[in-house]
PDB file of all heavy atoms in Angstrom:
ATOM      1  N   ARG A  23      -8.055  22.884  -2.785  1.00 96.00           N
ATOM      2  CA  ARG A  23      -7.570  23.679  -3.969  1.00 96.00           C
ATOM      3  C   ARG A  23      -6.120  24.083  -3.794  1.00 96.00           C
ATOM      4  O   ARG A  23      -5.401  24.246  -4.802  1.00 96.00           O
ATOM      5  CB  ARG A  23      -8.444  24.933  -4.090  1.00 96.00           C
ATOM      6  CG  ARG A  23      -9.639  24.858  -4.978  1.00 96.00           C
ATOM      7  CD  ARG A  23     -10.341  23.597  -5.033  1.00 96.00           C
ATOM      8  NE  ARG A  23     -11.442  23.580  -6.022  1.00 96.00           N
ATOM      9  CZ  ARG A  23     -12.080  22.515  -6.355  1.00 96.00           C
ATOM     10  NH1 ARG A  23     -11.818  21.330  -5.784  1.00 96.00           N
ATOM     11  NH2 ARG A  23     -13.049  22.514  -7.272  1.00 96.00           N
ATOM     12  N   THR A  41       0.419  26.596  -2.322  1.00 97.00           N
ATOM     13  CA  THR A  41       0.588  26.137  -3.703  1.00 97.00           C
ATOM     14  C   THR A  41      -0.450  25.136  -4.108  1.00 97.00           C
ATOM     15  O   THR A  41      -1.142  24.613  -3.232  1.00 97.00           O
ATOM     16  CB  THR A  41       2.005  25.554  -3.885  1.00 97.00           C
ATOM     17  OG1 THR A  41       2.295  25.321  -5.289  1.00 97.00           O
ATOM     18  CG2 THR A  41       2.118  24.214  -3.132  1.00 97.00           C
ATOM     19  N   ALA A  42      -0.580  24.875  -5.391  1.00 97.00           N
ATOM     20  CA  ALA A  42      -1.499  23.906  -5.872  1.00 97.00           C
ATOM     21  C   ALA A  42      -0.797  22.583  -6.082  1.00 97.00           C
ATOM     22  O   ALA A  42       0.392  22.587  -6.489  1.00 97.00           O
ATOM     23  CB  ALA A  42      -2.171  24.358  -7.199  1.00 97.00           C
ATOM     24  N   VAL A  43      -1.480  21.494  -5.792  1.00 98.00           N
ATOM     25  CA  VAL A  43      -0.807  20.181  -5.881  1.00 98.00           C
ATOM     26  C   VAL A  43      -1.792  19.159  -6.460  1.00 98.00           C
ATOM     27  O   VAL A  43      -2.979  19.294  -6.315  1.00 98.00           O
ATOM     28  CB  VAL A  43      -0.368  19.736  -4.488  1.00 98.00           C
ATOM     29  CG1 VAL A  43      -1.522  19.559  -3.518  1.00 98.00           C
ATOM     30  CG2 VAL A  43       0.435  18.372  -4.534  1.00 98.00           C
ATOM     31  N   GLN A  44      -1.251  18.194  -7.170  1.00 97.00           N
ATOM     32  CA  GLN A  44      -2.073  17.126  -7.738  1.00 97.00           C
ATOM     33  C   GLN A  44      -1.493  15.779  -7.330  1.00 97.00           C
ATOM     34  O   GLN A  44      -0.289  15.533  -7.398  1.00 97.00           O
ATOM     35  CB  GLN A  44      -2.063  17.247  -9.254  1.00 97.00           C
ATOM     36  CG  GLN A  44      -3.010  16.192  -9.889  1.00 97.00           C
ATOM     37  CD  GLN A  44      -2.964  16.221 -11.428  1.00 97.00           C
ATOM     38  OE1 GLN A  44      -1.911  16.258 -12.009  1.00 97.00           O
ATOM     39  NE2 GLN A  44      -4.139  16.306 -12.051  1.00 97.00           N
ATOM     40  N   ARG A  45      -2.413  14.899  -6.860  1.00 97.00           N
ATOM     41  CA  ARG A  45      -2.012  13.526  -6.542  1.00 97.00           C
ATOM     42  C   ARG A  45      -1.954  12.715  -7.802  1.00 97.00           C
ATOM     43  O   ARG A  45      -2.834  12.711  -8.662  1.00 97.00           O
ATOM     44  CB  ARG A  45      -3.039  12.920  -5.603  1.00 97.00           C
ATOM     45  CG  ARG A  45      -2.742  11.487  -5.159  1.00 97.00           C
ATOM     46  CD  ARG A  45      -3.742  11.056  -4.090  1.00 97.00           C
ATOM     47  NE  ARG A  45      -5.093  11.105  -4.575  1.00 97.00           N
ATOM     48  CZ  ARG A  45      -5.730  10.076  -5.193  1.00 97.00           C
ATOM     49  NH1 ARG A  45      -5.070   8.910  -5.404  1.00 97.00           N
ATOM     50  NH2 ARG A  45      -6.989  10.204  -5.583  1.00 97.00           N
ATOM     51  N   ARG A  46      -0.896  11.955  -7.960  1.00 96.00           N
ATOM     52  CA  ARG A  46      -0.654  11.114  -9.098  1.00 96.00           C
ATOM     53  C   ARG A  46      -1.020   9.674  -8.802  1.00 96.00           C
ATOM     54  O   ARG A  46      -0.943   9.211  -7.644  1.00 96.00           O
ATOM     55  CB  ARG A  46       0.762  11.247  -9.607  1.00 96.00           C
ATOM     56  CG  ARG A  46       1.071  12.583 -10.270  1.00 96.00           C
ATOM     57  CD  ARG A  46       2.425  12.635 -10.877  1.00 96.00           C
ATOM     58  NE  ARG A  46       2.465  13.459 -12.076  1.00 96.00           N
ATOM     59  CZ  ARG A  46       3.580  13.782 -12.729  1.00 96.00           C
ATOM     60  NH1 ARG A  46       4.725  13.336 -12.315  1.00 96.00           N
ATOM     61  NH2 ARG A  46       3.518  14.564 -13.798  1.00 96.00           N
ATOM     62  N   LEU A  51       3.092  13.186  -5.377  1.00 98.00           N
ATOM     63  CA  LEU A  51       2.429  14.438  -5.488  1.00 98.00           C
ATOM     64  C   LEU A  51       3.177  15.354  -6.430  1.00 98.00           C
ATOM     65  O   LEU A  51       4.427  15.481  -6.362  1.00 98.00           O
ATOM     66  CB  LEU A  51       2.263  15.161  -4.090  1.00 98.00           C
ATOM     67  CG  LEU A  51       1.427  14.399  -3.104  1.00 98.00           C
ATOM     68  CD1 LEU A  51       1.595  15.030  -1.713  1.00 98.00           C
ATOM     69  CD2 LEU A  51      -0.060  14.340  -3.488  1.00 98.00           C
ATOM     70  N   LEU A  52       2.460  16.034  -7.368  1.00 98.00           N
ATOM     71  CA  LEU A  52       3.082  16.893  -8.296  1.00 98.00           C
ATOM     72  C   LEU A  52       2.752  18.343  -7.981  1.00 98.00           C
ATOM     73  O   LEU A  52       1.557  18.742  -7.744  1.00 98.00           O
ATOM     74  CB  LEU A  52       2.603  16.586  -9.726  1.00 98.00           C
ATOM     75  CG  LEU A  52       3.115  17.504 -10.802  1.00 98.00           C
ATOM     76  CD1 LEU A  52       4.679  17.340 -10.960  1.00 98.00           C
ATOM     77  CD2 LEU A  52       2.489  17.196 -12.133  1.00 98.00           C
ATOM     78  N   LEU A  53       3.789  19.220  -7.896  1.00 98.00           N
ATOM     79  CA  LEU A  53       3.683  20.615  -7.730  1.00 98.00           C
ATOM     80  C   LEU A  53       4.517  21.294  -8.792  1.00 98.00           C
ATOM     81  O   LEU A  53       5.300  20.601  -9.495  1.00 98.00           O
ATOM     82  CB  LEU A  53       4.152  21.078  -6.384  1.00 98.00           C
ATOM     83  CG  LEU A  53       3.578  20.425  -5.112  1.00 98.00           C
ATOM     84  CD1 LEU A  53       4.367  19.161  -4.764  1.00 98.00           C
ATOM     85  CD2 LEU A  53       3.626  21.418  -3.934  1.00 98.00           C
ATOM     86  N   SER A  54       4.381  22.562  -8.886  1.00 97.00           N
ATOM     87  CA  SER A  54       5.309  23.275  -9.840  1.00 97.00           C
ATOM     88  C   SER A  54       5.572  24.656  -9.237  1.00 97.00           C
ATOM     89  O   SER A  54       4.817  25.177  -8.399  1.00 97.00           O
ATOM     90  CB  SER A  54       4.692  23.387 -11.235  1.00 97.00           C
ATOM     91  OG  SER A  54       3.662  24.361 -11.282  1.00 97.00           O
ATOM     92  N   THR A  55       6.617  25.289  -9.733  1.00 97.00           N
ATOM     93  CA  THR A  55       6.927  26.683  -9.416  1.00 97.00           C
ATOM     94  C   THR A  55       7.439  27.377 -10.622  1.00 97.00           C
ATOM     95  O   THR A  55       8.125  26.768 -11.437  1.00 97.00           O
ATOM     96  CB  THR A  55       7.930  26.701  -8.268  1.00 97.00           C
ATOM     97  OG1 THR A  55       8.139  28.108  -7.937  1.00 97.00           O
ATOM     98  CG2 THR A  55       9.311  26.160  -8.664  1.00 97.00           C
ATOM     99  N   SER A  56       7.062  28.600 -10.805  1.00 97.00           N
ATOM    100  CA  SER A  56       7.598  29.419 -11.871  1.00 97.00           C
ATOM    101  C   SER A  56       9.031  29.796 -11.578  1.00 97.00           C
ATOM    102  O   SER A  56       9.450  29.746 -10.389  1.00 97.00           O
ATOM    103  CB  SER A  56       6.772  30.669 -12.142  1.00 97.00           C
ATOM    104  OG  SER A  56       6.970  31.584 -11.085  1.00 97.00           O
ATOM    105  N   PRO A 106       3.019  22.171 -21.476  1.00 97.00           N
ATOM    106  CA  PRO A 106       2.355  21.299 -20.530  1.00 97.00           C
ATOM    107  C   PRO A 106       2.724  19.837 -20.627  1.00 97.00           C
ATOM    108  O   PRO A 106       2.250  19.036 -19.817  1.00 97.00           O
ATOM    109  CB  PRO A 106       0.880  21.510 -20.837  1.00 97.00           C
ATOM    110  CG  PRO A 106       0.879  21.777 -22.321  1.00 97.00           C
ATOM    111  CD  PRO A 106       2.134  22.567 -22.599  1.00 97.00           C
ATOM    112  N   GLY A 108       3.816  16.234 -20.188  1.00 94.00           N
ATOM    113  CA  GLY A 108       4.195  15.527 -18.987  1.00 94.00           C
ATOM    114  C   GLY A 108       3.440  15.935 -17.748  1.00 94.00           C
ATOM    115  O   GLY A 108       3.548  15.316 -16.709  1.00 94.00           O
ATOM    116  N   ALA A 109       2.717  17.080 -17.847  1.00 97.00           N
ATOM    117  CA  ALA A 109       1.961  17.586 -16.711  1.00 97.00           C
ATOM    118  C   ALA A 109       0.582  18.141 -17.178  1.00 97.00           C
ATOM    119  O   ALA A 109       0.033  19.066 -16.629  1.00 97.00           O
ATOM    120  CB  ALA A 109       2.748  18.652 -15.977  1.00 97.00           C
ATOM    121  N   GLU A 110       0.052  17.530 -18.231  1.00 97.00           N
ATOM    122  CA  GLU A 110      -1.178  17.986 -18.815  1.00 97.00           C
ATOM    123  C   GLU A 110      -2.306  17.996 -17.827  1.00 97.00           C
ATOM    124  O   GLU A 110      -3.125  18.944 -17.746  1.00 97.00           O
ATOM    125  CB  GLU A 110      -1.584  17.140 -20.046  1.00 97.00           C
ATOM    126  CG  GLU A 110      -0.681  17.335 -21.263  1.00 97.00           C
ATOM    127  CD  GLU A 110       0.499  16.364 -21.252  1.00 97.00           C
ATOM    128  OE1 GLU A 110       0.769  15.757 -20.180  1.00 97.00           O
ATOM    129  OE2 GLU A 110       1.104  16.186 -22.322  1.00 97.00           O
ATOM    130  N   ASP A 111      -2.475  16.897 -17.027  1.00 97.00           N
ATOM    131  CA  ASP A 111      -3.535  16.867 -16.064  1.00 97.00           C
ATOM    132  C   ASP A 111      -3.393  17.943 -14.964  1.00 97.00           C
ATOM    133  O   ASP A 111      -4.379  18.496 -14.499  1.00 97.00           O
ATOM    134  CB  ASP A 111      -3.608  15.522 -15.371  1.00 97.00           C
ATOM    135  CG  ASP A 111      -4.109  14.399 -16.314  1.00 97.00           C
ATOM    136  OD1 ASP A 111      -4.706  14.767 -17.311  1.00 97.00           O
ATOM    137  OD2 ASP A 111      -3.853  13.244 -16.074  1.00 97.00           O
ATOM    138  N   TYR A 112      -2.190  18.237 -14.612  1.00 98.00           N
ATOM    139  CA  TYR A 112      -1.942  19.285 -13.633  1.00 98.00           C
ATOM    140  C   TYR A 112      -2.403  20.648 -14.156  1.00 98.00           C
ATOM    141  O   TYR A 112      -3.081  21.410 -13.455  1.00 98.00           O
ATOM    142  CB  TYR A 112      -0.407  19.327 -13.333  1.00 98.00           C
ATOM    143  CG  TYR A 112      -0.003  20.415 -12.343  1.00 98.00           C
ATOM    144  CD1 TYR A 112      -0.105  20.207 -10.983  1.00 98.00           C
ATOM    145  CD2 TYR A 112       0.478  21.641 -12.799  1.00 98.00           C
ATOM    146  CE1 TYR A 112       0.312  21.160 -10.065  1.00 98.00           C
ATOM    147  CE2 TYR A 112       0.887  22.630 -11.925  1.00 98.00           C
ATOM    148  CZ  TYR A 112       0.822  22.401 -10.575  1.00 98.00           C
ATOM    149  OH  TYR A 112       1.154  23.373  -9.705  1.00 98.00           O
ATOM    150  N   TRP A 113      -2.003  20.933 -15.451  1.00 98.00           N
ATOM    151  CA  TRP A 113      -2.440  22.211 -16.024  1.00 98.00           C
ATOM    152  C   TRP A 113      -3.950  22.273 -16.203  1.00 98.00           C
ATOM    153  O   TRP A 113      -4.585  23.347 -16.030  1.00 98.00           O
ATOM    154  CB  TRP A 113      -1.717  22.467 -17.288  1.00 98.00           C
ATOM    155  CG  TRP A 113      -0.342  22.976 -17.102  1.00 98.00           C
ATOM    156  CD1 TRP A 113       0.823  22.267 -17.224  1.00 98.00           C
ATOM    157  CD2 TRP A 113       0.038  24.351 -16.707  1.00 98.00           C
ATOM    158  NE1 TRP A 113       1.902  23.078 -16.939  1.00 98.00           N
ATOM    159  CE2 TRP A 113       1.479  24.334 -16.607  1.00 98.00           C
ATOM    160  CE3 TRP A 113      -0.678  25.468 -16.433  1.00 98.00           C
ATOM    161  CZ2 TRP A 113       2.150  25.526 -16.241  1.00 98.00           C
ATOM    162  CZ3 TRP A 113      -0.019  26.601 -16.097  1.00 98.00           C
ATOM    163  CH2 TRP A 113       1.380  26.649 -15.973  1.00 98.00           C
ATOM    164  N   ARG A 114      -4.551  21.190 -16.609  1.00 97.00           N
ATOM    165  CA  ARG A 114      -6.020  21.170 -16.723  1.00 97.00           C
ATOM    166  C   ARG A 114      -6.677  21.488 -15.369  1.00 97.00           C
ATOM    167  O   ARG A 114      -7.672  22.230 -15.294  1.00 97.00           O
ATOM    168  CB  ARG A 114      -6.526  19.806 -17.225  1.00 97.00           C
ATOM    169  CG  ARG A 114      -6.213  19.527 -18.691  1.00 97.00           C
ATOM    170  CD  ARG A 114      -6.971  18.286 -19.154  1.00 97.00           C
ATOM    171  NE  ARG A 114      -6.510  17.831 -20.442  1.00 97.00           N
ATOM    172  CZ  ARG A 114      -5.554  16.898 -20.651  1.00 97.00           C
ATOM    173  NH1 ARG A 114      -4.975  16.293 -19.605  1.00 97.00           N
ATOM    174  NH2 ARG A 114      -5.192  16.585 -21.852  1.00 97.00           N
ATOM    175  N   MET A 115      -6.119  20.913 -14.317  1.00 97.00           N
ATOM    176  CA  MET A 115      -6.632  21.183 -13.004  1.00 97.00           C
ATOM    177  C   MET A 115      -6.551  22.678 -12.648  1.00 97.00           C
ATOM    178  O   MET A 115      -7.473  23.283 -12.167  1.00 97.00           O
ATOM    179  CB  MET A 115      -5.833  20.384 -11.957  1.00 97.00           C
ATOM    180  CG  MET A 115      -6.258  20.616 -10.521  1.00 97.00           C
ATOM    181  SD  MET A 115      -5.114  19.882  -9.333  1.00 97.00           S
ATOM    182  CE  MET A 115      -3.711  21.015  -9.447  1.00 97.00           C
ATOM    183  N   LEU A 116      -5.387  23.275 -12.941  1.00 97.00           N
ATOM    184  CA  LEU A 116      -5.204  24.694 -12.699  1.00 97.00           C
ATOM    185  C   LEU A 116      -6.188  25.540 -13.487  1.00 97.00           C
ATOM    186  O   LEU A 116      -6.828  26.463 -12.917  1.00 97.00           O
ATOM    187  CB  LEU A 116      -3.781  25.120 -13.019  1.00 97.00           C
ATOM    188  CG  LEU A 116      -2.627  24.706 -12.043  1.00 97.00           C
ATOM    189  CD1 LEU A 116      -1.324  25.292 -12.516  1.00 97.00           C
ATOM    190  CD2 LEU A 116      -2.983  25.163 -10.629  1.00 97.00           C
ATOM    191  N   PHE A 117      -6.326  25.280 -14.751  1.00 97.00           N
ATOM    192  CA  PHE A 117      -7.227  26.052 -15.612  1.00 97.00           C
ATOM    193  C   PHE A 117      -8.657  25.898 -15.219  1.00 97.00           C
ATOM    194  O   PHE A 117      -9.481  26.849 -15.375  1.00 97.00           O
ATOM    195  CB  PHE A 117      -7.050  25.662 -17.049  1.00 97.00           C
ATOM    196  CG  PHE A 117      -5.779  26.132 -17.680  1.00 97.00           C
ATOM    197  CD1 PHE A 117      -5.051  25.318 -18.566  1.00 97.00           C
ATOM    198  CD2 PHE A 117      -5.237  27.382 -17.445  1.00 97.00           C
ATOM    199  CE1 PHE A 117      -3.849  25.736 -19.130  1.00 97.00           C
ATOM    200  CE2 PHE A 117      -4.054  27.836 -17.991  1.00 97.00           C
ATOM    201  CZ  PHE A 117      -3.343  27.010 -18.830  1.00 97.00           C
ATOM    202  N   GLU A 118      -9.002  24.731 -14.687  1.00 97.00           N
ATOM    203  CA  GLU A 118     -10.382  24.518 -14.216  1.00 97.00           C
ATOM    204  C   GLU A 118     -10.644  25.202 -12.927  1.00 97.00           C
ATOM    205  O   GLU A 118     -11.721  25.852 -12.741  1.00 97.00           O
ATOM    206  CB  GLU A 118     -10.644  22.987 -14.134  1.00 97.00           C
ATOM    207  CG  GLU A 118     -12.062  22.645 -13.677  1.00 97.00           C
ATOM    208  CD  GLU A 118     -12.305  21.154 -13.624  1.00 97.00           C
ATOM    209  OE1 GLU A 118     -11.670  20.400 -14.403  1.00 97.00           O
ATOM    210  OE2 GLU A 118     -13.071  20.778 -12.752  1.00 97.00           O
ATOM    211  N   ARG A 119      -9.747  25.052 -11.989  1.00 96.00           N
ATOM    212  CA  ARG A 119     -10.000  25.577 -10.651  1.00 96.00           C
ATOM    213  C   ARG A 119      -9.656  27.075 -10.518  1.00 96.00           C
ATOM    214  O   ARG A 119     -10.119  27.728  -9.566  1.00 96.00           O
ATOM    215  CB  ARG A 119      -9.157  24.768  -9.610  1.00 96.00           C
ATOM    216  CG  ARG A 119      -9.606  23.346  -9.510  1.00 96.00           C
ATOM    217  CD  ARG A 119      -8.769  22.594  -8.484  1.00 96.00           C
ATOM    218  NE  ARG A 119      -9.321  21.244  -8.269  1.00 96.00           N
ATOM    219  CZ  ARG A 119      -8.809  20.349  -7.354  1.00 96.00           C
ATOM    220  NH1 ARG A 119      -7.761  20.743  -6.639  1.00 96.00           N
ATOM    221  NH2 ARG A 119      -9.369  19.180  -7.202  1.00 96.00           N
ATOM    222  N   TYR A 138       4.956  33.258 -16.116  1.00 95.00           N
ATOM    223  CA  TYR A 138       4.040  32.352 -15.370  1.00 95.00           C
ATOM    224  C   TYR A 138       4.140  30.918 -15.940  1.00 95.00           C
ATOM    225  O   TYR A 138       3.866  29.961 -15.210  1.00 95.00           O
ATOM    226  CB  TYR A 138       2.574  32.915 -15.517  1.00 95.00           C
ATOM    227  CG  TYR A 138       1.549  32.074 -14.827  1.00 95.00           C
ATOM    228  CD1 TYR A 138       1.328  32.199 -13.472  1.00 95.00           C
ATOM    229  CD2 TYR A 138       0.756  31.197 -15.502  1.00 95.00           C
ATOM    230  CE1 TYR A 138       0.308  31.495 -12.793  1.00 95.00           C
ATOM    231  CE2 TYR A 138      -0.240  30.452 -14.848  1.00 95.00           C
ATOM    232  CZ  TYR A 138      -0.418  30.589 -13.491  1.00 95.00           C
ATOM    233  OH  TYR A 138      -1.397  29.869 -12.879  1.00 95.00           O
ATOM    234  N   ARG A 141       8.158  26.952 -16.069  1.00 98.00           N
ATOM    235  CA  ARG A 141       7.976  26.227 -14.784  1.00 98.00           C
ATOM    236  C   ARG A 141       9.062  25.161 -14.528  1.00 98.00           C
ATOM    237  O   ARG A 141       9.670  24.632 -15.437  1.00 98.00           O
ATOM    238  CB  ARG A 141       6.666  25.512 -14.788  1.00 98.00           C
ATOM    239  CG  ARG A 141       5.434  26.485 -14.848  1.00 98.00           C
ATOM    240  CD  ARG A 141       4.935  26.831 -13.528  1.00 98.00           C
ATOM    241  NE  ARG A 141       3.853  27.786 -13.493  1.00 98.00           N
ATOM    242  CZ  ARG A 141       2.882  27.799 -12.589  1.00 98.00           C
ATOM    243  NH1 ARG A 141       2.847  26.896 -11.605  1.00 98.00           N
ATOM    244  NH2 ARG A 141       1.930  28.717 -12.649  1.00 98.00           N
ATOM    245  N   LEU A 142       9.243  24.879 -13.235  1.00 98.00           N
ATOM    246  CA  LEU A 142       9.997  23.733 -12.780  1.00 98.00           C
ATOM    247  C   LEU A 142       9.001  22.816 -12.056  1.00 98.00           C
ATOM    248  O   LEU A 142       8.181  23.226 -11.294  1.00 98.00           O
ATOM    249  CB  LEU A 142      11.065  24.227 -11.786  1.00 98.00           C
ATOM    250  CG  LEU A 142      12.049  25.264 -12.349  1.00 98.00           C
ATOM    251  CD1 LEU A 142      12.877  25.882 -11.212  1.00 98.00           C
ATOM    252  CD2 LEU A 142      12.991  24.636 -13.382  1.00 98.00           C
ATOM    253  N   LEU A 143       9.117  21.524 -12.343  1.00 98.00           N
ATOM    254  CA  LEU A 143       8.257  20.532 -11.759  1.00 98.00           C
ATOM    255  C   LEU A 143       8.856  19.934 -10.483  1.00 98.00           C
ATOM    256  O   LEU A 143      10.047  19.566 -10.474  1.00 98.00           O
ATOM    257  CB  LEU A 143       7.883  19.425 -12.770  1.00 98.00           C
ATOM    258  CG  LEU A 143       7.161  19.834 -14.063  1.00 98.00           C
ATOM    259  CD1 LEU A 143       6.767  18.622 -14.853  1.00 98.00           C
ATOM    260  CD2 LEU A 143       5.905  20.700 -13.706  1.00 98.00           C
ATOM    261  N   ILE A 144       8.018  19.806  -9.444  1.00 98.00           N
ATOM    262  CA  ILE A 144       8.432  19.259  -8.151  1.00 98.00           C
ATOM    263  C   ILE A 144       7.663  17.979  -7.922  1.00 98.00           C
ATOM    264  O   ILE A 144       6.406  18.034  -7.941  1.00 98.00           O
ATOM    265  CB  ILE A 144       8.221  20.248  -7.067  1.00 98.00           C
ATOM    266  CG1 ILE A 144       9.052  21.528  -7.279  1.00 98.00           C
ATOM    267  CG2 ILE A 144       8.568  19.636  -5.703  1.00 98.00           C
ATOM    268  CD1 ILE A 144       8.676  22.661  -6.346  1.00 98.00           C
ATOM    269  N   PHE A 300      -0.786  25.306 -24.599  1.00 97.00           N
ATOM    270  CA  PHE A 300      -1.524  25.790 -23.456  1.00 97.00           C
ATOM    271  C   PHE A 300      -2.943  26.222 -23.881  1.00 97.00           C
ATOM    272  O   PHE A 300      -3.931  25.938 -23.196  1.00 97.00           O
ATOM    273  CB  PHE A 300      -0.801  26.962 -22.757  1.00 97.00           C
ATOM    274  CG  PHE A 300       0.363  26.523 -21.881  1.00 97.00           C
ATOM    275  CD1 PHE A 300       1.632  26.891 -22.206  1.00 97.00           C
ATOM    276  CD2 PHE A 300       0.110  25.736 -20.752  1.00 97.00           C
ATOM    277  CE1 PHE A 300       2.698  26.503 -21.401  1.00 97.00           C
ATOM    278  CE2 PHE A 300       1.176  25.341 -19.942  1.00 97.00           C
ATOM    279  CZ  PHE A 300       2.468  25.734 -20.277  1.00 97.00           C
ATOM    280  N   LEU A 303      -5.209  23.300 -24.187  1.00 97.00           N
ATOM    281  CA  LEU A 303      -5.723  22.811 -22.916  1.00 97.00           C
ATOM    282  C   LEU A 303      -6.833  23.697 -22.340  1.00 97.00           C
ATOM    283  O   LEU A 303      -7.811  23.203 -21.809  1.00 97.00           O
ATOM    284  CB  LEU A 303      -4.577  22.710 -21.868  1.00 97.00           C
ATOM    285  CG  LEU A 303      -3.565  21.565 -22.042  1.00 97.00           C
ATOM    286  CD1 LEU A 303      -2.613  21.600 -20.915  1.00 97.00           C
ATOM    287  CD2 LEU A 303      -4.334  20.243 -22.076  1.00 97.00           C
TER     288      LEU A 303
END
Side-chain angles (χ1 to χ4, degrees):
R23 268 34 185 173
T41 188
V43 61
Q44 184 182 50
R45 180 173 60 90
R46 287 185 147 175
L51 297 169
L52 177 65
L53 306 87
S54 75
T55 182
S56 72
E110 291 90 345
D111 288 341
Y112 178 85
W113 280 103
R114 288 190 191 95
M115 178 191 74
L116 286 183
F117 288 140
E118 179 178 330
R119 294 181 171 183
Y138 181 83
R141 296 267 177 150
L142 303 167
L143 298 185
I144 299 169
F300 282 116
L303 283 185

